[in-house]
Amino acid sequence: MIEESKTLQLSKEELAQFHRDGYIGPFDLYEPEEMAAHLQALRPKLLNTKNAIYSGGRTISGSTNLSNYDRHLDIDFLAEHITRPEIVDRVSSILGPDTLCWRSEFFPKYPGDEGTDWHQADNFSNVAGSKHPQIVWPEDAEFGGTITVWTAFTEASVDMGCLQFIPGSHKSMNYDESKSMDYNPDLINKVDKDGVRRGFFGYDYRQLQKDPNWTPDEANAVSQVMRQGQFIIFWSTLMHASHPHLGLTDNMRLGFAGRYLPTSVHVYPHSDSLAEFGGSASLDKFGNVLVSGQDNYGHNRFVDSTVNGYRFPVREGSLGGFGLSDVQAWLLGTCRELGLPAQDVNANFFEMGGTSLTAVKLIAKAEQNFGEDVLPPEDLYGRSTLRDIAATIESNSGASA
Ligand SMILES: O=C(O)CCC(=O)C(=O)O
Ligand SMILES: [Fe+2]
């Protein structure tokens, strides 16, 4: 069991690549025939929005809309999908052991549809009518954004509108999500941008540019061709887009995005409804799904089953499964939150990029969690592998190994 889950974590090399490029994959999840069969069974369920948590009201408009959000809360196959160990273990090897899924979304592209505009999302107030951030990281976190796992429910070729990424672009934002965009569904499929038809589901993402004269560095863009049933993992702060669907085939392209966060992030802290794409929906029935580990913060709402009663399986905190002590697992997760690529307890805090500033933050977090003076600076600087740091905390706090 432990051996099995271990193979699903990202390797040290993959993790380093992810931190450098802002994405990793694609990975195989379903065989194409298997995915095709799931999709066939799924289609009628997608159309039946009776039990969907945002059904009714003003949820439907434009080509993407609120009624295709969070269907993992009412469709069992999607509930299983977002909790698949192949996905969750890889995500939690990036985010730490305690991970939640806060959103899922379909991205359909029909033959002839425009490509998706280049964009980055940090706090997801980007298309929100109210302009409240939808996710808020702890104040001292180096990260922002969310991990997106985009699964190709159909084939995604260049001609059918596969994703495009600009590697390494996830570390600085070219867009200001506090600016507003006008929603104009009449322009969908009608706007040409540097020779390519692109839009953002009725919005024009260029309106959020920090510098109106800047243009994305498309020469460095890479196309993510994926076969049916594969998934790819990327930071939402990565510059991403998709090609138009050229209509050379009658088949649509369908992507399904699951979005993940550590439990330390606040989800929808400022709102009890969503207002996007010209529609709106109450968050009354919304809940996050804990997919791995546990929630030690208590500031988010969770649901433990779908509206139909399917219970979401929770992966054991993927780090805890490897014989790590609680403090070691906490330390690995915390280092990742601080932006360090911590893969195992043999890593050295300073060699993997810890600075005096990150050291101060780590000490403060350790004190917050385990008590005053549990991590004296001289001990942190003297014995700096994560194993040693955890041992220091354990012996000073009386926490058991
Ligand atoms: O599928 C697309 O065209 C866009 C997907 C996307 O922007 C996302 O998953 O964040
Ligand atoms: Fe996106």
Side-chain angles (χ1 to χ4, degrees):
M1 179 68 197
I2 287 173
E3 275 313 302
E4 190 189 320
S5 55
K6 198 168 188 172
T7 60
L8 301 174
Q9 300 265 315
L10 292 176
S11 68
K12 219 181 263 185
E13 293 72 31
E14 286 173 325
L15 205 54
Q17 192 183 330
F18 178 82
H19 282 290
R20 185 193 65 209
D21 294 341
Y23 70 94
I24 186 96
F27 300 100
D28 294 342
L29 182 56
Y30 308 100
E31 291 302 320
E33 315 75 63
E34 193 188 357
M35 187 72 244
H38 282 309
L39 186 55
Q40 199 176 0
L42 185 62
R43 285 187 196 280
K45 294 187 181 143
L46 287 177
L47 293 175
N48 178 3
T49 53
K50 195 169 57 140
N51 290 330
I53 64 158
Y54 307 128
S55 72
R58 297 194 304 114
T59 53
I60 299 176
S61 70
S63 68
T64 183
N65 53 64
L66 291 170
S67 64
N68 80 23
Y69 273 20
D70 298 346
R71 298 300 304 270
H72 64 280
L73 297 177
D74 77 287
I75 298 178
D76 290 1
F77 168 68
L78 299 175
E80 264 170 59
H81 174 79
I82 58 134
T83 54
R84 286 286 296 243
E86 293 88 339
I87 292 177
V88 172
D89 288 4
R90 287 183 171 104
V91 168
S92 50
S93 62
I94 298 164
L95 293 177
D98 303 326
T99 315
L100 60 79
C101 174
W102 63 286
R103 152 113 25 113
S104 70
E105 257 169 272
F106 280 97
F107 286 99
K109 234 169 245 314
Y110 294 92
D113 274 358
E114 65 190 7
T116 305
D117 264 349
W118 284 105
H119 66 287
Q120 296 170 297
D122 179 356
N123 63 33
F124 281 77
S125 62
N126 49 16
V127 298
S130 53
K131 281 287 149 199
H132 291 310
Q134 299 193 346
I135 56 173
V136 177
W137 282 72
E139 226 163 79
D140 54 359
E142 306 277 317
F143 293 160
T146 186
I147 292 283
T148 295
V149 176
W150 194 100
T151 305
F153 275 24
T154 63
E155 180 191 351
S157 61
V158 172
D159 291 351
M160 288 172 77
C162 71
L163 288 173
Q164 294 173 278
F165 296 152
I166 299 181
S169 58
H170 56 301
K171 292 185 179 145
S172 68
M173 288 289 288
N174 301 302
Y175 302 91
D176 174 356
E177 290 171 291
S178 68
K179 289 188 177 183
S180 320
M181 293 186 282
D182 306 315
Y183 182 68
N184 188 349
D186 295 341
L187 294 183
I188 292 176
N189 292 332
K190 299 207 177 67
V191 183
D192 198 294
K193 293 171 186 169
D194 298 318
V196 185
R197 278 184 313 115
R198 282 194 212 272
F200 199 77
F201 315 104
Y203 293 98
D204 185 335
Y205 218 84
R206 296 177 302 186
Q207 291 185 317
L208 297 188
Q209 278 179 211
K210 286 182 176 168
D211 171 2
N213 298 318
W214 163 90
T215 47
D217 185 10
E218 291 217 54
N220 289 325
V222 284
S223 296
Q224 302 298 329
V225 172
M226 290 163 70
R227 69 150 179 78
Q228 188 168 28
Q230 290 186 312
F231 68 91
I232 195 159
I233 304 175
F234 62 98
W235 273 122
S236 59
T237 53
L238 181 71
M239 282 290 292
H240 61 287
S242 69
H243 290 285
H245 190 314
L246 294 182
L248 304 181
T249 142
D250 291 340
N251 299 327
M252 73 180 300
R253 179 220 79 169
L254 185 62
F256 178 75
R259 309 207 194 268
Y260 297 84
L261 288 168
T263 54
S264 57
V265 174
H266 287 256
V267 179
Y268 301 128
H270 305 294
S271 28
D272 47 24
S273 66
L274 285 173
E276 307 182 350
F277 307 111
S280 66
S282 155
L283 286 169
D284 275 358
K285 295 188 193 156
F286 169 80
N288 295 283
V289 177
L290 184 72
V291 293
S292 149
Q294 56 196 41
D295 172 39
N296 297 320
Y297 295 89
H299 49 223
N300 284 318
R301 204 171 355 142
F302 286 89
V303 287
D304 53 21
S305 54
T306 64
V307 295
N308 310 309
Y310 171 87
R311 267 190 100 76
F312 294 105
V314 187
R315 293 292 283 172
E316 200 177 299
S318 52
L319 301 170
F322 305 133
L324 295 177
S325 70
D326 288 351
V327 176
Q328 288 174 331
W330 173 87
L331 185 60
L332 274 163
T334 303
C335 286
R336 288 175 193 169
E337 239 174 64
L338 292 171
L340 302 174
Q343 176 74 3
D344 59 56
V345 288
N346 298 318
N348 182 296
F349 183 77
F350 295 103
E351 284 169 15
M352 67 184 172
T355 60
S356 51
L357 182 63
T358 13
V360 169
K361 289 182 181 173
L362 179 67
I363 291 169
K365 281 176 181 286
E367 295 202 339
Q368 228 170 34
N369 270 275
F370 302 103
E372 224 170 290
D373 299 328
V374 285
L375 183 56
E378 58 278 17
D379 289 350
L380 172 57
Y381 280 88
R383 300 167 64 230
S384 311
T385 67
L386 300 194
R387 186 187 302 284
D388 288 336
I389 298 170
T392 303
I393 296 173
E394 276 160 5
S395 71
N396 289 334
S397 68
S400 64

